[in-house]
Amino acid sequence: MSLLSNTTSKVHEVFDLVVHANFENLKSSYAAFSLPIYLQNNDPAIQLFENKIDWKAWMHSIGLGDYVPHSHAFNHTSLSASQDIQFPAVLKLNAHFGKGVFVIHDAKQLHVVAASAIRLTFWIEEGLTGMGLAEVSSFGSVYQGKLLSMRCIKRYFPPKNAARSANYWYNGSVTHAQPNDAFVRGFMLHNKHDVYIPCSQELVNVTSIMFAKAPPYTGIFCSDMKSDNHDRVKMMEINARFCGSMVKNEAIFTAAYVPLAYAVHEDSKNKVQDKVNSRMVDWPAELKYKFIKKAEEDLLVSGGGIYNNAALSVERFNHSLVIDPPAYSYRL
């Protein structure tokens, strides 16, 4: 269940379907009933984003290849013919990633892995080191392929935690990175420092095009990004699901959830099947929800945010900029 359903806000349970983290379990849970119209066609988009290799190839096919890391497939025989691998590099043993992801520091380590992976295809991806001990996550919502909201957070990792989060391959076994090694891979959810940054018109535009060209998707999304040595932002992954960090952050949760709930409510195709919680349209909560919806729409246009009570408009992505956190709460 979502955070909203556990508070006095009590948004109607049909909206809770949208934020379920596991869509397959969701469909099983509601097998005896008809899924709401706005969720019935999500499978193709979810499958596209879940296979990271296919998704990156697809990003190239729609003209957004500059916004994903360079990735190449190899096996133990084709590897020796390649001369353009830059280190550190990320080696991935499966298309969905998660487990089987290693940071390779030099050619010697890479050939050790290749010799151990006979008859297997693996992927080598550029190491993104442009943010130092940090990475950026974006959070938002989409309705039928239209981007509704998007917020960005930059996460700083203490050196000792950042080093432990990257696995290196030494002498055929997995060990942790050394403190002086380049930070390539994070995903440490604890002992980090978060700041809000403007998503920028550039990143909003890329995300809008991506969802518009993908199979129609309705729901929450999150993505992880880093930058290369030339400070060009690259999406490491996009997840068409409700991400754990959103549950822990009231402001991010609300910024994503309220525009989505409004879009579901306002689409007349949903009205026969779905009922809308009265707080969406009743005074005084109506004004608060509309304020949030309008604020998130404005941010998609400006790509910026509020800093020291001044509105910022940001064209190009710049992870060194900082904005004020949104003053939202789900206890409306």
Side-chain angles (χ1 to χ4, degrees):
M1 299 293 286
S2 73
L3 283 176
L4 281 178
S5 64
N6 292 324
T7 69
T8 56
S9 296
K10 288 290 184 181
V11 171
H12 194 275
E13 64 179 2
V14 297
F15 291 141
D16 202 49
L17 299 179
V18 180
V19 301
H20 199 290
N22 188 321
F23 193 61
E24 293 302 317
N25 287 346
L26 169 69
K27 291 192 297 184
S28 298
S29 299
Y30 284 81
F33 305 96
S34 177
L35 276 175
I37 293 172
Y38 52 88
L39 292 179
Q40 290 177 4
N41 300 312
N42 271 354
D43 281 10
I46 292 173
Q47 291 168 6
L48 170 64
F49 297 136
E50 281 186 349
N51 188 305
K52 310 307 181 188
I53 292 295
D54 288 349
W55 166 67
K56 287 170 184 171
W58 175 79
M59 288 286 280
H60 280 275
S61 74
I62 64 171
L64 298 179
D66 289 342
Y67 291 94
V68 295
H70 299 302
S71 181
H72 303 282
F74 291 93
N75 56 41
H76 74 291
T77 56
S78 64
L79 180 62
S80 59
S82 176
Q83 303 296 324
D84 60 352
I85 298 174
Q86 302 294 316
F87 298 99
V90 179
L91 183 141
K92 304 184 176 184
L93 297 179
N94 65 81
H96 294 274
F97 309 150
K99 294 183 178 181
V101 180
F102 306 97
V103 178
I104 306 297
H105 200 54
D106 54 41
K108 181 179 179 179
Q109 294 174 21
L110 180 56
H111 284 283
V112 169
V113 177
S116 304
I118 296 176
R119 293 186 296 277
L120 294 178
T121 297
F122 52 89
W123 292 264
I124 297 176
E125 193 171 277
E126 67 175 314
L128 301 175
T129 59
M131 288 187 190
L133 297 175
E135 60 190 40
V136 170
S137 296
S138 70
F139 307 90
S141 57
V142 179
Y143 186 75
Q144 294 296 299
K146 179 183 178 181
L147 184 65
L148 302 177
S149 66
M150 185 171 171
R151 290 282 185 161
C152 293
I153 290 179
K154 186 175 183 180
R155 291 172 165 162
Y156 295 89
F157 300 88
K160 61 179 182 179
N161 290 330
R164 285 203 301 270
S165 69
N167 288 329
Y168 280 59
W169 191 294
Y170 284 111
N171 299 320
S173 61
V174 177
T175 63
H176 293 299
Q178 304 305 307
N180 292 327
D181 288 331
F183 174 54
V184 177
R185 186 166 178 262
F187 308 139
M188 295 289 292
L189 297 181
H190 303 288
N191 300 319
K192 58 182 174 54
H193 174 61
D194 292 352
V195 296
Y196 286 85
I197 68 171
C199 291
S200 78
Q201 295 170 12
E202 176 186 16
L203 195 55
V204 168
N205 184 53
V206 169
T207 306
S208 296
I209 293 173
M210 178 183 67
F211 278 113
K213 291 184 177 292
Y217 173 70
T218 291
I220 301 295
F221 75 89
C222 62
S223 69
D224 291 316
M225 292 164 281
K226 292 179 69 68
S227 60
D228 62 16
N229 290 333
H230 301 285
D231 219 24
R232 295 173 297 207
V233 63
K234 308 266 187 168
M235 289 186 182
M236 297 185 290
E237 63 178 1
I238 180 80
N239 296 304
R241 58 179 171 80
F242 201 81
C243 306
S245 299
M246 300 176 78
V247 177
K248 301 174 183 178
N249 187 316
E250 293 183 16
I252 289 294
F253 182 98
T254 306
Y257 191 93
V258 169
L260 177 59
Y262 253 108
V264 171
H265 170 51
E266 291 175 345
D267 192 330
S268 60
K269 294 191 299 292
N270 299 318
K271 293 187 180 298
V272 174
Q273 187 175 7
D274 302 324
K275 297 179 180 179
V276 178
N277 183 281
S278 60
R279 289 182 61 85
M280 272 291 164
V281 292
D282 286 351
W283 184 276
E286 178 185 8
L287 295 181
K288 296 180 181 178
Y289 282 119
K290 284 186 175 180
F291 170 81
I292 294 170
K293 177 176 177 286
K294 180 63 165 57
E296 297 308 305
E297 290 173 346
D298 291 345
L299 285 184
L300 292 181
V301 175
S302 71
I306 304 297
Y307 182 68
N308 287 341
N309 295 320
L312 299 180
S313 180
V314 178
E315 182 178 356
R316 304 290 294 179
F317 181 80
N318 185 344
H319 61 85
S320 64
L321 299 177
V322 178
I323 59 174
D324 299 332
Y328 298 159
S329 170
Y330 58 80
R331 298 182 181 90
L332 299 175

